[in-house]
């Protein structure tokens, strides 16, 4: 119970204004269009050397050029495809796997829960980057293995969150009622527990999406992520970081896009949560 | 200090709140009251009546989102609503104190009780640390806490609920305030613990000469504590006057209904053969044994009430019968056949025949499902109904529990407490069970709403011949429904038999203690209890 002084004036109703959400949605839509239609939208090719390295923005290259003299705008547009596609695939997979195991653990309980949880603890004890390096050096670097490995690592945290949320819900009487009705485990997970955990999971999705971005970028830095010349926003920050020494702001361009997308995805997530009345 | 002004004077108080959708809700509508020094006023009303909001305004506080639209709250002639934060800070704890409903969650678990009890007095420099400790120990003794000298050294988790509630009263009294606001201080306690707390609190209030606002939904309890009573409903004053006047000559229809509530009586019914028989049942969790060697019989189409305090194992009994907690020893027989201990091994027919209605409908109903889905699920499972046929059956069940068919489209969040409990009953009925285990089904409900649910249960039994195992601590509910009564304590039976035998003299001593602890709606009941206790040995300090 939050209390306020009775002498204070009524607080204006705090409402999530629609304008920032609209802008966020527009930005996400634009990124999606770029990702899908990069070949037609981008003025230059993804790997074309078109000018001198680290040129300042001008009419021909509105966002300047990168360390090899490739058009920054084109690379951002192509990078949207790699970065968003990859992150989306990683996070979606992570939520399907981690969420399913988390719900299964709380619904089955007992030894099933204990076994799954301890295995997850085991993997979480390893630093994620080391785990990824190990897995990628064994399996070889391709976009598919990268996605699978990153999704596995992200799914550990999704599992922990889903289980923490689910334990609380599975202890409620309506789950007992469903069990006494002999509903299947899958039905209890899907119909009774998941809908009550959905709202925190949705906001977590936005956050995990951003982390997946950064994770791919750090793998790229170590040469195990997205391979050149394929553009990805995280990798572009790293490639161009040297420009800061020469007083150029080039690496801030992809960084700004990462930040904008992160904020937009989270704004939309918060909006969904608020709309579904999740302030409980 | 203005000697002629009453201690607390509230005039024309309007409190409103901003709703999440931007609308405005009226919480208190034109409330006025006057409270003199040393007087206790009871605030009565059902949940949502605005009684807690009114109590909080005496501290110059409102809940987040609420605000005072107009009115005055004068303490000793000073309007709290016109004073600034400095005035309010000065008054709170020192002149007006607050005792919350759940002391267990109001104490900080990381500090010893005594440090929390004396915190305000020391921090305000009203007393030295040593003086404050002395005062706290005095108060512990006055509130009849066990070994008052050392009680304060305990951490909150080391004290029982009733002790914590008294420690919180000591915390409120420590700085010698003029007024204490008690917000349902005993609602979360057992009847036998409740009476210990109210006895101690009333004596302490009288001896300390403090005034009190006593908020409760229990009219019988308030009648023992208060000099005057204010009845609230939907934020409006329904009735106010001296306690004698309100109890003996109520003018408002609502007050009359409150007084008449809890007077349902169940007529004796002819005996019937047993439906459920428990023989030597033992159950527990891990190494802890909760129930030991329990024998019970529920007759067909009749009600067995199981009565006891919290921790007596009565809710565990419900879980054992449903198969949620397999019993360790003994046997369950249902309609002549043996019941498996574990629900997973019971045939579907056994699961269908025994349904459960829980204490808290908020936990028993999935908030994300519509009422139609909630009631429809057992219809699909047990009767194989689908589509339009299921919708028709849902509507029929809603009608049986006296709800409109439109409720099928709503989610539990859009229902009141009583309506939710009716949905739970409809869900149980949907299976066409022969036995319904009712676990404290009325204890989360307001008295008038609880009466409605009890009447519904009685009607359904008369019409459909369903048996009830009615788990409760409420003797009013027992008298309304029970054919047979079993009294439980520490997992074992204390007394069992036909209701009129168990509930009438000669009582078993424990049954008598339970019955005597239930507040009666007449003036002087508590004085009678005090007098009766004075003649007994004085070592009746509870744990």
């Amino acid at each position: 119970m939050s209390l306020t002084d009775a002498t204070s004036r009524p607080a204006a109703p705090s409402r999530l204004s629609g304008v920032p959400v609209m802008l966020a949605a527009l930005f996400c839509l634009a990124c999606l269009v770029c990702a899908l239609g990069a070949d037609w939208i981008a003025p230059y090719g993804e790997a074309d050397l078109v000018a001198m390295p680290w040129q300042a923005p001008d009419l021909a290259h509105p966002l300047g050029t990168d360390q090899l003299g490739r058009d920054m705008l084109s690379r951002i547009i192509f990078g949207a495809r790699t970065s968003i596609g990859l992150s989306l695939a990683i996070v979606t997979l992570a939520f399907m796997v981690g969420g399913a195991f988390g719900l299964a653990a709380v619904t089955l309980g007992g030894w099933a829960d204990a076994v799954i949880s301890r295995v997850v603890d085991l993997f979480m004890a390893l630093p994620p980057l080391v785990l990824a390096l190990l897995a990628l050096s064994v399996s070889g670097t391709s976009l598919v293995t990268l996605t699978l490995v990153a999704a596995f690592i992200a799914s550990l945290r999704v599992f922990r969150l889903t289980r923490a949320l689910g334990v609380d819900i599975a202890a409620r009487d309506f789950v007992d009622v469903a069990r006494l009705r002999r509903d299947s485990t899958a039905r209890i997970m899907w119909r009774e527990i998941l809908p009550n955990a959905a709202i925190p999971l949705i906001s977590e999705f936005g956050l995990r999406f951003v982390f997946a971005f950064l994770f791919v970028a750090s793998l790229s830095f170590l040469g195990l992520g997205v391979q050149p010349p394929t553009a990805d926003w995280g990798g572009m920050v790293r490639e161009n970081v040297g420009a800061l020494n020469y007083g150029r702001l080039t690496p801030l361009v992809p960084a700004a896009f990462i930040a904008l997308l992160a904020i937009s995805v989270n704004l939309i997530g918060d909006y969904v949560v608020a709309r579904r009345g999740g302030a409980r | 200090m203005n000697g002629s002004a009453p201690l607390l004077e509230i005039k024309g108080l309007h409190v409103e709140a901003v709703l999440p959708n931007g609308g405005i809700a009226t919480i208190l509508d034109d409330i006025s009251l006057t409270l003199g020094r040393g007087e206790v006023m009871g605030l009565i009303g059902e949940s949502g009546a605005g009684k807690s909001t009114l109590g909080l305004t005496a501290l110059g506080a409102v809940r987040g989102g609420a605000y005072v639209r107009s009115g005055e709250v004068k303490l000793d002639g000073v309007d709290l609503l016109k004073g600034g934060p400095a005035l309010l800070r000065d008054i709170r704890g020192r002149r007006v104190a607050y005792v919350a409903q759940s002391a267990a969650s109001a104490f900080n678990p990381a500090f010893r009780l005594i440090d929390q009890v004396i915190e305000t007095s020391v921090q305000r420099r009203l007393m030295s640390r040593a003086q404050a400790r002395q005062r706290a120990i005095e108060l512990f003794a006055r509130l009849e806490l066990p070994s008052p000298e050392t009680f304060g050294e305990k951490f909150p988790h080391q004290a029982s609920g009733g002790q914590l509630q008294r420690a919180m009263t000591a915390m409120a009294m420590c700085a010698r305030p003029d007024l204490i606001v008690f917000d349902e201080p005993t609602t979360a306690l057992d009847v036998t613990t409740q009476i210990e707390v109210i006895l101690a609190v009333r004596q302490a209030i009288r001896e300390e000469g403090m005034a009190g606002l006593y908020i409760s939904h229990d009219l019988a309890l308030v009648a023992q504590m208060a000099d005057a009573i204010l009845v609230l409903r939907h934020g409006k004053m329904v009735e106010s006057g001296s306690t004698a006047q309100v109890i003996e000559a109520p003018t408002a229809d609502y007050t009359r209904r409150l007084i008449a509530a809890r007077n349902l009586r169940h007529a004796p019914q002819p005996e019937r053969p047993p439906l459920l028989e428990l023989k030597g049942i033992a159950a527990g969790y891990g190494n802890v044994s909760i129930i030991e060697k329990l024998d019970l019989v529920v007759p067909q189409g009749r009600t067995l009430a199981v009565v006891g305090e919290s921790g007596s194992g009565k809710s565990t009994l419900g879980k054992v019968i449903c198969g949620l907690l397999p019993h360790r020893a003994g046997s369950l027989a249902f309609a002549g056949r043996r019941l498996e201990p574990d629900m997973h091994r019971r045939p579907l027919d056994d699961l269908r025949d025994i349904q459960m209605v829980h204490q808290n409908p908020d936990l028993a109903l999935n908030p994300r499902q519509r009422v139609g889905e909630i009631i429809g699920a057992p219809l699909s499972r047990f009767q194989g109904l689908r589509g339009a046929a299921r919708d028709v059956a849902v509507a029929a069940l809603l009608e049986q529990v006296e709800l409109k068919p439109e409720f099928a489209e709503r989610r539990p969040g859009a229902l009141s407490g009583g309506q939710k409990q009716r949905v739970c009953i409809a869900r149980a009925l949907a299976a066409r069970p022969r036995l319904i285990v009712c676990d404290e089904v009325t204890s989360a409900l307001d008295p008038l709403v609880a009466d409605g649910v009890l009447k519904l249960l009685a009607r359904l039994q008369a019409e459909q011949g369903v048996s009830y195992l009615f788990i409760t601590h409420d003797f009013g509910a027992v008298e309304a429904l029970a054919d047979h009564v079993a009294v439980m304590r520490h997992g074992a039976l204390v007394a069992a038999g036909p209701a009129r035998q168990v509930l009438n003299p000669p009582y078993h001593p424990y049954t008598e203690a339970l019955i005597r602890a239930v507040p009666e709606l007449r003036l002087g009941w508590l004085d009678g209890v005090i007098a009766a206790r004075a003649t007994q040995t004085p070592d009746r300090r509870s744990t």
Side-chain angles (χ1 to χ4, degrees), chain B residues 111-128:
Chain B
F111 294 97
R112 292 181 195 278
L113 288 171
I114 188 125
D115 294 325
Q116 303 188 54
V117 167
I118 64 173
E119 187 184 353
T120 311
S121 310
V122 173
Q123 201 195 354
R124 297 291 181 73
R125 298 161 196 270
L126 301 172
M127 325 175 181
S128 73

Side-chain angles (χ1 to χ4, degrees), chain B residues 164-494:
Chain B
L164 284 178
Q165 208 65 55
R166 279 178 277 168
M168 194 159 178
T169 308
M171 177 156 86
M173 288 180 167
C174 190
R176 297 195 175 87
D178 299 317
L179 174 65
I180 301 182
V181 178
F182 293 93
D183 194 351
E184 305 250 11
T186 60
T187 304
L189 304 177
D190 278 319
V191 279
T192 48
T193 321
Q194 163 173 289
I195 191 165
E196 302 291 341
V197 174
I198 59 175
L199 274 173
V201 167
R202 197 177 78 155
Q203 275 169 15
I205 290 181
R206 296 226 165 134
E207 286 164 20
E208 296 272 332
M210 291 165 186
L213 274 180
Y214 197 96
I215 298 166
S216 178
H217 65 269
D218 187 343
L219 190 54
L221 179 63
V222 164
Q224 313 307 321
M225 303 293 291
D227 306 304
I229 290 180
L230 176 65
V231 184
L232 286 172
R233 193 183 193 202
H234 307 319
K236 289 192 172 69
M237 282 164 58
V238 172
E239 176 141 11
S240 75
S242 73
T243 301
Q245 196 181 323
V246 170
I247 299 292
E248 279 160 9
T251 55
D253 179 50
Y254 178 67
T255 320
R256 279 196 209 109
R257 276 164 55 210
L258 275 183
I259 291 172
R262 318 319 316 237
N263 271 331
L264 302 173
R265 287 289 174 273
H266 182 65
Q269 305 283 317
E271 289 292 318
R272 294 284 294 271
L275 176 68
L276 176 75
E277 276 180 280
L278 287 79
K279 283 208 181 98
I281 291 288
Y285 301 90
N287 294 326
V288 185
S289 173
I290 310 269
I291 295 177
E292 280 161 20
K293 287 197 187 152
L294 198 65
D295 297 315
L296 282 177
V297 175
V298 184
Q300 283 175 16
R302 299 283 179 261
T303 302
L304 169 70
V306 177
V307 194
E309 295 177 84
S310 51
S312 62
K314 54 193 198 304
S315 289
T316 307
L317 175 66
K319 291 195 166 183
V320 167
I321 290 169
C322 292
L324 284 167
L325 179 71
H327 54 268
R328 290 171 177 170
S331 66
L332 284 176
F334 186 83
R337 57 185 197 262
R338 182 178 164 274
L339 277 184
E340 288 283 345
D342 185 353
M343 57 160 279
H344 296 102
R345 302 186 55 190
R346 287 184 189 178
L348 195 61
D349 276 351
D350 284 351
L351 294 181
R352 194 202 64 211
D353 276 344
I354 303 176
Q355 291 292 310
M356 193 159 183
V357 180
H358 295 82
Q359 170 171 13
N360 186 342
D362 287 322
L363 297 178
L365 298 175
N366 188 337
R368 296 282 164 206
Q369 290 181 358
R370 293 177 196 283
V371 168
E373 299 172 67
I374 291 170
I375 301 178
L379 288 171
S380 302
R381 170 71 63 207
F382 296 120
Q383 326 240 356
L385 293 178
R386 297 275 182 280
R390 197 177 88 159
D391 294 344
V392 172
V394 167
L397 283 162
L398 283 172
E399 197 180 322
Q400 280 187 29
V401 296
E402 295 152 16
L403 294 176
K404 293 194 189 108
E406 296 93 271
F407 277 67
E409 293 304 313
R410 297 203 194 162
R411 287 184 214 279
L415 306 182
S416 70
Q419 289 168 344
K420 282 182 219 170
Q421 202 56 288
R422 282 165 193 264
V423 171
C424 291
I425 293 169
R427 175 174 63 187
L429 288 177
R432 295 196 191 150
R434 299 174 70 183
L435 172 70
I436 300 180
V437 176
C438 300
D439 187 0
E440 300 268 15
V441 292
T442 54
S443 63
L445 304 176
D446 289 310
L448 289 177
V449 178
D451 266 14
V453 169
L454 290 174
K455 277 182 197 150
L456 171 69
L457 287 172
R459 201 200 79 212
L460 290 170
Q461 185 169 59
E463 286 173 9
Q464 309 192 0
V466 62
S467 305
Y468 297 131
L469 181 93
F470 198 84
I471 297 167
T472 187
H473 65 261
D474 175 2
F475 279 95
V478 172
E479 302 219 0
L481 278 181
D483 300 290
H484 292 258
V485 177
V487 182
M488 278 182 79
R489 187 183 200 189
H490 305 321
L493 276 190
V494 169

Side-chain angles (χ1 to χ4, degrees), chain A residues 1-15 107-108 168-169 171-184 187-188 190-200 273 276-280, chain B residues 18-22 56 60-64 66-68 80-85 88 92 98 319 322 324 343-348 351 356 358-360 362-369 373-374 377-378 381-382 427:
Chain A
M1 181 172 66
S2 71
L3 292 177
T4 51
D5 284 353
T7 47
S8 54
R9 291 296 101 209
S14 66
R15 275 177 158 183
T107 313
L108 295 171
D168 211 30
I169 299 160
R172 294 193 204 162
D173 295 332
F174 60 78
V175 178
D176 276 350
V177 171
R179 288 205 171 101
L180 284 171
R181 200 160 59 214
R182 195 149 289 166
D183 280 2
S184 66
R187 193 184 158 86
I188 292 175
W190 186 250
R191 302 265 305 154
E192 307 288 343
I193 299 179
L194 183 62
N196 289 289
I199 281 168
V273 171
R276 292 205 48 185
R280 326 194 279 136
Chain B
V18 182
L19 299 173
N21 65 14
L56 284 170
V62 288
R63 286 203 178 110
Y67 59 92
V68 175
L80 298 183
L81 303 180
K82 297 214 167 63
L88 292 177
R92 291 180 193 155
Y98 181 76
K319 291 195 166 183
C322 292
L324 284 167
M343 57 160 279
H344 296 102
R345 302 186 55 190
R346 287 184 189 178
L348 195 61
L351 294 181
M356 193 159 183
H358 295 82
Q359 170 171 13
N360 186 342
D362 287 322
L363 297 178
L365 298 175
N366 188 337
R368 296 282 164 206
Q369 290 181 358
E373 299 172 67
I374 291 170
R381 170 71 63 207
F382 296 120
R427 175 174 63 187

